[in-house]
Amino acid sequence: MFIAIMIWIGTMLFSFVLNTFLCYKVEKSGVKRWGATGRIFKYK
């Protein structure tokens, strides 16, 4: 059970880091679309 919980937590952390990285790349690219308003990372 300990291994299963560690895999679950690892998956959540990996997903969080990956999604944050992808949001950063989209906002930095300057694309005007939903979710890329620049509010999270302060890009215009």
Side-chain angles (χ1 to χ4, degrees):
M1 183 168 171
F2 177 74
I3 293 172
I5 290 174
M6 293 308 294
I7 291 172
W8 180 62
I9 291 172
T11 302
M12 286 194 316
L13 289 175
F14 175 74
S15 298
F16 178 76
V17 170
L18 179 64
N19 288 323
T20 303
F21 174 74
L22 291 176
C23 285
Y24 172 78
K25 296 292 284 185
V26 168
E27 290 184 359
K28 191 175 180 181
S29 70
V31 175
K32 299 293 183 188
R33 61 197 307 186
W34 182 86
T37 58
R39 293 180 190 161
I40 296 175
F41 296 107
K42 309 293 182 191
Y43 286 100
K44 292 184 178 180

